[in-house]
Amino acid sequence: MNKLFVTGLLVFSALNVIGQAKNQIKFTAKIANRNSDTLVIKGRDNFKQVIPINKKELFVANFDAPKGFYMFSDGTESSNLYLKPNSDINLTMNAKEFDETIVYKGKEVNESNFLAQQALKDEKFQEEAFVKEALEFASLLEAKKNADIANLEKGDFDPEFKTAMKNSFESFNQYAVQQYERASKANRLKGKPSPGFDYENHKGGKTKLSDLKGKYVYIDLWATWCAPCRAEIPYLQKIEEKYHGKNIEFVSISIDKVKDNEKWKKFVTDKNLGGVQLFADKDWESEFVTNYGVTGIPRFIIVDPNGNVLSSDADRPSSPELQKQLDALLK
């Protein structure tokens, strides 16, 4: 689950205050490098609108929907939008840069554009502020909240939208503080002995972190239901191939729920996943996961040959920076 998706969940939980009168919505989307031939718009009270692509390579639909907050998804990623009475919405984006390229044009789209830009601001804040010292983080968080409120107040937005967004800002602040505390906890592990694990191995038996001592260990925390996790798999397979025979083990730990153990086994087999494939004992509440303060996946960790934490939040396989780091370690 990526950070934007977490923010999206916050919006849905905090903004459950909008009226129920149905109104006609005209929706059109043009998506470059699309991930799917279908878009799905979901909202409260089990609202769901499925929009297939047409012969002109456009997603077009006319439908009734109550005013309020919704989420659209292409099956791989998702984003929030706001529907108003008699809206005429024209969405354009590039799915390879999903959040960064979302633009709404047409009638009654100011709120949706605000949501798209707010998601980027929230993500950027998490990337930049979480590495700061506690006092500076608190100052940056307060400044962000004030700036968000100022931008909201000066915009031409629905009054109910403004009220709901102010609630969302409060929720984001609470969430950010919790995330910062967990990130700080993980950062304090650097250079210290890593928390251990003793998990079911797809090939049989169990594997402990201590079994891998003497090698670097690149750990991938993931789940079969996590689209960003699955997107990293081809890159991870290339990394595993490049460093085959080197002094490094690639360990993937699934935090799928126990009831989905067979689903995990089938996924690993069907996708012919390499490396050491393990299944955590208590999904998100597994001791290894909580000791690293993990609240979002995919999450990557590097442990050195002595069993000490080299990086508690390492670069993804898709990042060129990871190969630079591994090249330096394994030269």
Side-chain angles (χ1 to χ4, degrees), residues 15 22 72 299 303 322:
L15 308 183
K22 288 191 174 184
F72 80 84
R299 172 75 171 268
V303 177
L322 175 64

Side-chain angles (χ1 to χ4, degrees), residues 26-30 39 51 58-61 88-92:
K26 182 178 180 181
F27 182 90
T28 303
K30 184 175 184 180
L39 283 184
I51 309 175
L58 297 173
F59 298 91
V60 180
D88 188 349
I89 300 168
N90 292 281
L91 164 65
T92 59

Side-chain angles (χ1 to χ4, degrees), residues 57-164:
E57 300 286 297
L58 297 173
F59 298 91
V60 180
N62 293 293
F63 55 92
D64 282 338
K67 181 174 69 171
F69 291 83
Y70 294 79
M71 182 176 288
F72 80 84
S73 171
D74 66 356
T76 300
E77 297 196 62
S78 57
S79 181
N80 297 302
L81 72 159
Y82 187 82
L83 301 181
K84 296 174 67 176
N86 303 311
S87 296
D88 188 349
I89 300 168
N90 292 281
L91 164 65
T92 59
M93 60 177 288
N94 184 336
K96 285 189 175 180
E97 299 177 280
F98 194 94
D99 299 295
E100 295 81 359
T101 58
I102 292 174
V103 176
Y104 296 95
K105 294 183 179 180
K107 182 182 177 183
E108 305 291 3
V109 296
N110 289 347
E111 290 83 1
S112 291
N113 279 319
F114 184 91
L115 287 172
Q117 291 303 310
Q118 191 65 32
L120 292 178
K121 291 176 183 177
D122 289 350
E123 182 180 34
K124 184 178 180 181
F125 177 84
Q126 292 176 76
E127 291 174 350
E128 296 178 354
F130 281 12
V131 298
K132 305 295 185 181
E133 295 296 328
L135 288 177
E136 185 177 2
F137 168 79
S139 177
L140 290 171
L141 185 59
E142 183 64 21
K144 179 184 183 301
K145 178 183 174 181
N146 291 336
D148 288 343
I149 292 174
N151 287 333
L152 183 68
E153 291 293 356
K154 71 182 181 183
D156 180 19
F157 303 125
D158 182 86
E160 291 175 330
F161 176 84
K162 286 187 175 182
T163 299

Side-chain angles (χ1 to χ4, degrees), residues 44-277:
R44 59 174 301 189
D45 297 331
N46 297 315
F47 178 93
K48 183 177 180 180
Q49 177 70 38
V50 179
I51 309 175
I53 197 166
N54 64 19
K55 294 180 181 179
K56 295 182 179 180
E57 300 286 297
L58 297 173
F59 298 91
V60 180
N62 293 293
F63 55 92
D64 282 338
K67 181 174 69 171
F69 291 83
Y70 294 79
M71 182 176 288
F72 80 84
S73 171
D74 66 356
T76 300
E77 297 196 62
S78 57
S79 181
N80 297 302
L81 72 159
Y82 187 82
L83 301 181
K84 296 174 67 176
N86 303 311
S87 296
D88 188 349
I89 300 168
N90 292 281
L91 164 65
T92 59
M93 60 177 288
N94 184 336
K96 285 189 175 180
E97 299 177 280
F98 194 94
D99 299 295
E100 295 81 359
T101 58
I102 292 174
V103 176
Y104 296 95
K105 294 183 179 180
K107 182 182 177 183
E108 305 291 3
V109 296
N110 289 347
E111 290 83 1
S112 291
N113 279 319
F114 184 91
L115 287 172
Q117 291 303 310
Q118 191 65 32
L120 292 178
K121 291 176 183 177
D122 289 350
E123 182 180 34
K124 184 178 180 181
F125 177 84
Q126 292 176 76
E127 291 174 350
E128 296 178 354
F130 281 12
V131 298
K132 305 295 185 181
E133 295 296 328
L135 288 177
E136 185 177 2
F137 168 79
S139 177
L140 290 171
L141 185 59
E142 183 64 21
K144 179 184 183 301
K145 178 183 174 181
N146 291 336
D148 288 343
I149 292 174
N151 287 333
L152 183 68
E153 291 293 356
K154 71 182 181 183
D156 180 19
F157 303 125
D158 182 86
E160 291 175 330
F161 176 84
K162 286 187 175 182
T163 299
M165 287 307 300
K166 288 176 182 177
N167 291 333
S168 177
F169 296 157
E170 292 293 342
S171 296
F172 178 83
N173 272 34
Q174 296 172 17
Y175 160 78
V177 169
Q178 293 172 354
Q179 288 290 87
Y180 179 79
E181 291 173 349
R182 288 165 176 159
S184 296
K185 177 182 177 180
N187 289 335
R188 289 194 292 270
L189 291 172
K190 187 173 182 179
K192 297 179 180 179
S194 172
F197 55 72
D198 185 9
Y199 293 151
E200 174 189 350
N201 191 313
H202 187 267
K203 293 182 178 179
K206 287 190 170 184
T207 297
K208 298 179 181 178
L209 178 59
S210 57
D211 296 337
L212 308 174
K213 201 164 185 178
K215 293 185 176 183
Y216 288 99
V217 185
Y218 183 72
I219 300 169
D220 170 16
L221 293 172
W222 72 293
T224 58
W225 48 261
C226 169
C229 301
R230 297 196 303 270
E232 290 293 326
I233 289 175
Y235 298 99
L236 179 58
Q237 291 173 322
K238 290 179 181 178
I239 291 284
E240 290 172 346
E241 182 179 349
K242 178 176 180 179
Y243 296 101
H244 180 73
K246 299 286 187 179
N247 190 41
I248 186 169
E249 287 282 358
F250 294 92
V251 178
S252 295
I253 301 176
S254 166
I255 61 169
D256 281 283
K257 293 188 179 298
V258 173
K259 67 179 180 64
D260 293 323
N261 183 270
E262 291 301 320
K263 178 182 177 181
W264 163 72
K265 288 180 179 177
K266 185 176 186 302
F267 188 96
V268 172
T269 299
D270 291 349
K271 300 297 183 180
N272 194 29
L273 301 187
V276 180
Q277 296 290 330

